[in-house]
Amino acid sequence: MTKILVTGAAGFIGSHTVDSLLASGHEVVGVDNFRTGSRENLRQATASPRFDFQVMDLTEVETFTGLVRSQRPDVVIHLAGLVSVQDSRADPALNVRLNVGGTQAVIDAVISASVPRVIFASSAAVYGDSDGFPLREDALKQPLNPYGEAKLASEALLAGAARMHGFTAVSLRYFNVYGSRQAPDSPYSGVVSRFVDCCRRNQAPVIFGDGRQTRDFIHVRDVARANMQAALLPGMPSGDYNVSSGQETSLLDLVGLLRAMQPSLPVPKFSAAQSGDIRRSVGDPARWCAVSRFSPRETLSAGLLELVEYHSTESLAASQLLPSCPTKL
Ligand code: UD2
């Protein structure tokens, strides 16, 4: 049994990672400050006697180092951070404090507690306006926002510390992650969660731009499995790895898949393209596949169908619980 400390444990990717680790029989210490994560995401995990949870902010460096020193995990999976690209633009200093400062706090703690391995949640945002598709790890890195810059800086800090102090540092560059527990209700939510929510409401999805921009969608269970493999594989080499499906899907294709599942979904509306939007994104997963024998298990159509069905069952259950709408309040 391996003991793994997960930062950002109550978040979208964090909670799925915790669930996978517990299901495989490991001991997990979860840390989260609930800035964006929720207790609800940890409902399954908290039922396990092998799960310990601490409400904590990584930027309280001494407290966090104290926790890592007392728990002595075999691996730290560092997923905590400012997750919104828009927030990183609105408040670049907060982005540096949470996304670069948070990584430095993890580095300080693992050195102090002699933790032999760190897995870091990096992002396809490090490539930004790159070329040569599918993107390989050595592609040009030109982030288009402070979030991508902070991920790139964190990768460099971790790799440097790993070389100097002799631990293993693995940065996993997730592409567009989708799946359950991704909030659909913020203007900054991922496109899949927003469009699936449109299915639930039977409302027209709004496409920013012409819909020909592409993304590489990867299911959160595949990402959780990649995190677990990176944490547990014997002799895992330090380095940067794409965690991607290798499949390039346009937004028009995404809407087409959803309309095939739910023919009543209204045709999409089109709105102005978002500034700084990436035109093409698809990652080559070959490096990670070679190290881990990883191949994504979840196809986009099966993953979407599961989400659409999950949300329709949820809204049916909610409508049965709710009293009928009052005509006047
Ligand atoms: C995603 C991640 C970001 C970072 C980046 C890496 C999310 C929310 N963001 O940004 O954190 O990792 O990838 O490159 O996961 N769109 C619409 N209609 C909508 C919502 C979005 O047309 O209602 C478009 C949007 O303009 C973009 C595409 O859909 O062209 C994907 O948008 P996104 O916010 O899901 O993800 P992205 O790739 O901008």
Side-chain angles (χ1 to χ4, degrees):
M1 184 163 68
T2 307
K3 186 172 187 177
I4 297 148
L5 188 145
V6 180
T7 74
F12 164 50
I13 297 175
S15 61
H16 281 280
T17 301
V18 167
D19 289 346
S20 297
L21 290 166
L22 292 171
S24 301
H26 300 288
E27 194 180 339
V28 179
V29 181
V31 177
D32 205 295
N33 63 359
F34 291 126
R35 189 176 181 277
T36 47
S38 74
R39 283 189 194 278
E40 175 59 23
N41 287 347
L42 292 173
R43 202 167 34 160
Q44 196 177 317
T46 43
S48 168
R50 286 178 281 103
F51 183 59
D52 180 13
F53 183 73
Q54 305 286 330
V55 183
M56 193 177 286
D57 202 310
L58 292 190
T59 53
E60 288 163 22
V61 179
E62 280 173 24
T63 318
F64 179 64
T65 297
L67 174 74
V68 180
R69 284 176 69 95
S70 67
Q71 292 285 349
R72 305 198 72 77
D74 302 296
V75 185
V76 171
I77 303 183
H78 174 42
L79 307 175
L82 181 73
V83 291
S84 159
V85 170
Q86 280 77 3
D87 286 353
S88 81
R89 285 204 185 98
D91 193 344
L94 181 69
N95 170 58
V96 170
R97 192 164 69 79
L98 299 187
N99 285 345
V100 183
T103 303
Q104 188 59 52
V106 169
I107 291 170
D108 292 345
V110 302
I111 292 170
S112 168
S114 302
V115 178
R117 192 182 296 193
V118 180
I119 315 304
F120 169 59
S122 189
S123 164
V126 300
Y127 297 112
D129 192 13
S130 194
D131 54 18
F133 297 97
L135 294 163
R136 287 172 22 158
E137 286 80 356
D138 53 5
L140 189 66
K141 282 150 206 92
Q142 300 196 122
L144 291 175
N145 48 59
Y147 172 85
E149 294 284 4
K151 289 291 181 186
L152 199 53
S154 288
E155 285 186 4
L157 287 172
L158 259 173
R163 269 194 307 275
M164 284 184 278
H165 295 274
F167 63 88
T168 301
V170 178
S171 290
L172 299 179
R173 295 178 182 152
Y174 311 141
F175 279 65
N176 285 66
V177 189
Y178 74 98
S180 61
R181 303 180 191 159
Q182 191 175 35
D185 45 4
S186 131
Y188 312 130
S189 301
V191 67
V192 170
S193 63
R194 295 188 76 186
F195 286 7
V196 167
D197 198 47
C198 290
C199 289
R200 188 174 68 83
R201 297 169 188 272
N202 224 36
Q203 280 175 355
V206 177
I207 291 180
F208 304 138
D210 62 6
R212 294 184 198 283
Q213 66 266 49
T214 61
R215 293 295 185 267
D216 182 329
F217 296 105
I218 177 119
H219 196 280
V220 68
R221 278 197 297 267
D222 281 325
V223 172
R225 193 159 57 92
N227 287 339
M228 187 161 76
Q229 286 178 308
L232 302 173
L233 276 172
M236 179 75 211
S238 285
D240 313 317
Y241 301 89
N242 288 338
V243 175
S244 64
S245 71
Q247 303 292 317
E248 188 171 13
T249 305
S250 73
L251 292 199
L252 293 175
D253 290 342
L254 179 66
V255 172
L257 282 168
L258 290 169
R259 294 195 77 226
M261 286 165 204
Q262 186 170 311
S264 63
L265 181 69
V267 292
K269 292 181 178 160
F270 290 84
S271 168
Q274 290 181 310
S275 72
D277 201 28
I278 294 171
R279 188 69 184 161
R280 279 188 81 183
S281 178
V282 56
D284 183 346
R287 185 188 279 183
W288 178 241
C289 293
V291 167
S292 67
R293 303 216 182 122
F294 171 90
S295 57
R297 285 187 187 155
E298 318 278 346
T299 63
L300 182 58
S301 48
L304 289 176
L305 186 61
E306 182 190 300
L307 273 181
V308 169
E309 284 177 347
Y310 171 79
H311 286 292
S312 61
T313 321
E314 214 184 26
S315 37
L316 181 68
S319 68
Q320 284 167 348
L321 284 175
L322 285 172
S324 54
C325 252
T327 47
K328 212 171 181 181
L329 291 173

